[in-house]
């Protein structure tokens, strides 16, 4: 049973960098694309981007200038960095597997506030 | 970007009803369409991918159809656990995009 778990700070100051990690268990990270999605409170879902282990990344153009994703096969983890955050980046952040998002983490609320 | 539009945005139904939700894409996504169920405070759960393939373990009361630009999620014999928000998602073109969601509520 594949499981994903997000971790990272629950609060980030404006203009700083949001950093999250997703730990994958029950399956190899060397297969599939690995995604980040976010959902502001009471709103819909926004795809941030994804990465695979051969270094292939695709980012949402709306966030591309601020997003970096990386993957570590030795720890079965992948990560998200989002720079220059504002209040508009406050959301629940999810990690998920594959293009059709077949497995999701439980989500982590990140609040941008001073 | 491909815009995904779901209708209706809110659907009121009773236990035992059969309901359908439509998802329209602004351009063809072929069959690269998934459906999710989300309950408050929980992550979305995949129900259907490739427009009509049921994820293993998902009850057969959920079914999907369509291709190109128009897709439908049908839920038969509604039970209390089915009242939730449903999203469609296209993965045929980057960026991956979602519909705005359909809230299925008890009448």
């Amino acid at each position: 049973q594949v499981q994903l778990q997000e971790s990272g700070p629950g609060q980030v100051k404006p203009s700083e960098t949001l950093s999250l990690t997703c730990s994958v268990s029950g399956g190899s990270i060397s297969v599939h694309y690995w995604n980040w999605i976010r959902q502001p409170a009471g709103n819909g879902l926004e795809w941030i981007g994804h990465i695979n282990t051969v270094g292939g990344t695709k980012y949402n153009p709306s966030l591309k200038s601020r997003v970096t994703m990386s993957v570590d096969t030795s720890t079965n983890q992948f990560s998200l960095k989002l720079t220059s955050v504002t209040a508009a980046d406050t959301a629940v952040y999810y990690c998920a597997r594959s293009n059709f998002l077949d497995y999701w983490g439980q989500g982590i609320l990140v609040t941008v506030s001073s | 970007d491909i815009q995904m539009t779901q209708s209706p945005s809110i659907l009121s139904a009773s236990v035992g009803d059969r309901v359908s939700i439509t998802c329209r894409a602004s351009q063809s996504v072929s069959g690269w369409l998934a459906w999710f169920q989300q309950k408050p405070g929980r992550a979305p759960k995949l129900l259907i991918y490739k427009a009509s393939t049921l994820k293993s373990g998902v009850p057969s009361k959920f079914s999907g159809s369509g291709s190109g630009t128009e897709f439908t999620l049908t839920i038969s014999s509604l039970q209390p656990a089915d009242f939730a928000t449903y999203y469609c998602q296209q993965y045929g073109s980057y960026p991956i995009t979602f519909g705005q969601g359909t809230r299925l509520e008890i009448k």
Side-chain angles (χ1 to χ4, degrees):
Chain A
Q1 172 80 352
V2 176
Q3 293 185 315
L4 293 83
Q5 177 72 57
E6 303 89 351
S7 60
Q11 185 166 332
V12 182
K13 290 182 169 55
S15 81
E16 295 191 345
T17 297
L18 179 159
S19 296
L20 296 175
T21 296
C22 182
S23 300
V24 179
S25 59
S28 172
I29 203 169
S30 296
V31 187
H32 303 289
Y33 280 99
W34 300 92
N35 301 265
W36 289 98
I37 300 107
R38 68 181 184 179
Q39 185 172 36
N43 283 325
L45 299 160
E46 180 181 31
W47 180 74
I48 299 170
H50 67 199
I51 188 167
N52 64 19
T53 54
V54 293
T57 54
K58 284 286 189 181
Y59 301 143
N60 194 322
S62 66
L63 297 166
K64 186 175 182 177
S65 64
R66 299 194 290 132
V67 170
T68 303
M69 294 182 185
S70 59
V71 62
D72 186 342
T73 55
S74 66
T75 60
N76 242 34
Q77 295 178 326
F78 63 104
S79 299
L80 167 71
K81 290 190 188 302
L82 181 66
T83 62
S84 305
V85 298
T86 70
D89 295 309
T90 294
V92 175
Y93 285 75
Y94 296 102
C95 55
R97 188 184 85 163
S98 88
N99 279 0
F100 52 89
L101 312 174
D102 56 350
Y103 292 95
W104 293 63
Q106 66 186 25
I108 182 168
L109 173 61
V110 180
T111 302
V112 178
S113 172
S114 55
Chain B
D1 298 8
I2 295 179
Q3 307 303 315
M4 306 300 292
T5 303
Q6 291 181 229
S7 59
S9 293
I10 301 173
L11 179 57
S12 296
S14 301
V15 171
D17 283 355
R18 179 176 182 268
V19 299
S20 292
I21 299 168
T22 297
C23 178
R24 288 187 174 88
S26 60
Q27 60 191 82
S28 177
V29 300
S30 187
W32 307 115
L33 191 286
W35 289 99
F36 300 87
Q37 177 193 70
Q38 186 178 33
K39 296 183 179 179
R42 305 295 296 273
K45 287 185 177 180
L46 176 68
L47 299 173
I48 287 166
Y49 62 98
K50 226 181 328 181
S52 60
T53 303
L54 205 63
K55 181 184 177 182
S56 176
V58 173
S60 58
K61 63 188 304 179
F62 295 95
S63 62
S65 63
S67 66
T69 62
E70 187 154 335
F71 301 86
T72 301
L73 171 70
T74 299
I75 312 169
S76 62
S77 186
L78 281 173
Q79 296 302 307
D82 300 327
F83 291 93
T85 299
Y86 292 85
Y87 292 94
C88 62
Q89 173 232 352
Q90 69 81 18
Y91 53 102
S93 178
Y94 289 111
I96 289 169
T97 50
F98 294 88
Q100 82 280 14
T102 294
R103 189 168 82 238
L104 176 57
E105 56 182 35
I106 299 177
K107 188 183 291 184

